[in-house]
Amino acid sequence: MRAIDIEDMGPNSRLVFVDRPDPAPAHDELLVRVVATAANRADLMQRAGHYPAPPGESEILGLEMAGEVVVAGEACERFAAGDAVCSLLAGGGFAEYVIIPEALAMAVPAGLDLAQAAALPEVFMTAWQTLVWQAQVQAGETVLVHAGASGVGTAATQIASALLDARVLVTASAPKHELCASLGASATIDYRTASFAERVSDLTGARGANVIVDFMGASYLDANIRAAALDGRIITLALMGGATAEQANLGLFFRKRLTLRASTLRNRSLQHKARLARAFEEHLAPAFTDGRLRPVIDRTLPWSEVEQAHALLARNETRGKVVLVVDPSAV
């Protein structure tokens, strides 16, 4: 099979097509022909040498995919050859074939094609884990979503507003505000020209946000503390703004009784991801079918243009996901 490999891992890395042996599924696994996959910021970190695949997982890039089952192991019961599936991956999506545990496979939501389905697993499963399992968002609460036009940002905004009945505030650059509002954000904040902590205070009558979904880490920590409500929960999903905070008001952190939690998904256990896959099928898939949720795709490119996809992510020029089509005949 053809796959995309990282050459000269580090700041000057390149992506090249290589030949790899066709994988063979174990008794509880599916061999899937990849029709489409998607680019993620984690790809940029991995090719720079900062985010290796978990032990035992594929070193090939690609954290999600949608495709067609080719072979189902003899212990598989839910899916058979010919079924359309999508799945979260720890790696391996940038290839013509991938092996997945059947426990992680999800039926493509009715009404979506495989290119659309490839844009779902990483961002919507991350958002569900963050908002429901970790932050425990309640109806009527205020959720501040940073990077509101990012993949996870667009998913979190939709889930919080459409499924959890929360009020959503987002930060994003001004050209992306219209998209964020269309996804359910009740207010948009231009982080380039305004203090988001002050705007959140104004928008909430000085109460603050009950939940903050953060991707910046150190550079936003102090402002997140100021923006948070009493008993607020700050969930940090990435460190785009650095890992070491030079200043943060921990006195205010204590007075507000805040919770600060770091979260990842790639290195979670199979059992955890399988539970998340079942939650996707139960709670999210029907919402795609009836229109409460939708995949947000910035553009769809052939996988031969993966370098362009990564350049768009690196320049922060995307609104939603960049999907890479591996087999255009099946989309």
Side-chain angles (χ1 to χ4, degrees):
M1 70 175 184
R2 290 205 310 159
I4 295 175
D5 195 16
I6 303 170
E7 192 172 86
D8 298 326
M9 186 177 293
N12 299 313
S13 66
R14 296 186 303 116
L15 299 180
V16 296
F17 279 91
V18 296
D19 290 323
R20 290 284 184 266
D22 290 349
H27 69 285
D28 58 352
E29 294 177 330
L30 305 173
L31 172 65
V32 180
R33 178 174 61 86
V34 178
V35 172
T37 182
N40 287 281
R41 285 191 176 273
D43 302 341
L44 307 183
M45 296 172 59
Q46 183 171 337
R47 60 184 291 184
H50 303 313
Y51 193 39
E57 300 291 352
S58 173
E59 296 290 340
I60 297 172
L61 295 171
L63 299 182
E64 57 199 326
M65 67 86 216
E68 181 181 296
V69 175
V70 178
V71 177
E74 61 270 20
C76 294
E77 299 178 346
R78 301 181 62 240
F79 295 100
D83 288 343
V85 297
C86 59
S87 181
L88 185 74
L89 306 171
F94 288 11
E96 291 179 314
Y97 295 92
V98 68
I99 295 290
I100 59 172
E102 189 191 33
L104 299 188
M106 301 176 295
V108 172
L112 300 187
D113 62 31
L114 289 172
Q116 292 171 315
L120 304 181
E122 176 72 14
V123 296
F124 280 93
M125 293 170 78
T126 295
W128 185 266
Q129 174 182 263
T130 300
L131 295 171
V132 177
W133 289 6
Q134 296 172 336
Q136 299 181 348
V137 173
Q138 303 299 306
E141 288 192 317
T142 296
V143 177
L144 172 63
V145 178
H146 289 304
S150 67
V152 175
T154 58
T157 297
Q158 292 184 77
I159 290 173
S161 61
L163 302 189
L164 304 180
D165 197 24
R167 182 191 185 197
V168 181
L169 315 177
V170 305
T171 63
S173 59
K176 301 177 180 180
H177 286 189
E178 184 177 355
L179 169 65
C180 296
S182 74
L183 298 174
S186 64
T188 53
I189 302 166
D190 187 348
Y191 66 91
R192 294 176 175 174
T193 61
S195 162
F196 71 79
E198 292 178 3
R199 289 288 293 130
V200 169
S201 180
D202 292 341
L203 291 164
T204 61
R207 291 185 298 274
N210 304 102
V211 171
I212 299 176
V213 180
D214 175 54
F215 303 89
M216 299 304 293
S219 65
Y220 272 22
L221 179 57
D222 188 65
N224 279 337
I225 291 172
R226 288 186 282 116
L230 187 68
D231 292 319
R233 292 88 77 195
I234 304 169
I235 313 293
T236 297
L237 303 179
L239 298 173
M240 293 173 60
T244 303
E246 296 182 2
Q247 181 179 344
N249 188 339
L250 294 185
L252 184 58
F253 184 89
F254 270 83
R255 289 196 297 276
K256 289 187 174 183
R257 302 193 300 263
L258 301 182
T259 298
L260 174 62
R261 181 167 184 168
S263 180
T264 61
L265 182 54
R266 189 181 192 185
N267 62 353
R268 298 278 185 178
S269 69
L270 173 60
Q271 293 74 20
H272 179 98
K273 293 177 182 177
R275 286 199 305 121
L276 199 51
R278 302 293 76 76
F280 180 99
E281 291 184 319
E282 179 179 356
H283 300 287
L284 300 180
F288 288 109
T289 300
D290 66 24
R292 286 174 293 161
L293 300 178
R294 64 180 174 92
V296 180
I297 298 175
D298 180 90
R299 68 194 71 191
T300 299
L301 299 171
W303 71 326
S304 59
E305 297 182 22
V306 61
E307 288 283 14
Q308 179 185 344
H310 280 183
L312 290 167
L313 292 178
R315 296 194 299 265
N316 196 31
E317 294 181 358
T318 57
R319 305 179 189 194
K321 300 287 289 186
V322 178
V323 171
L324 299 171
V325 175
V326 178
D327 182 1
S329 68
V331 174

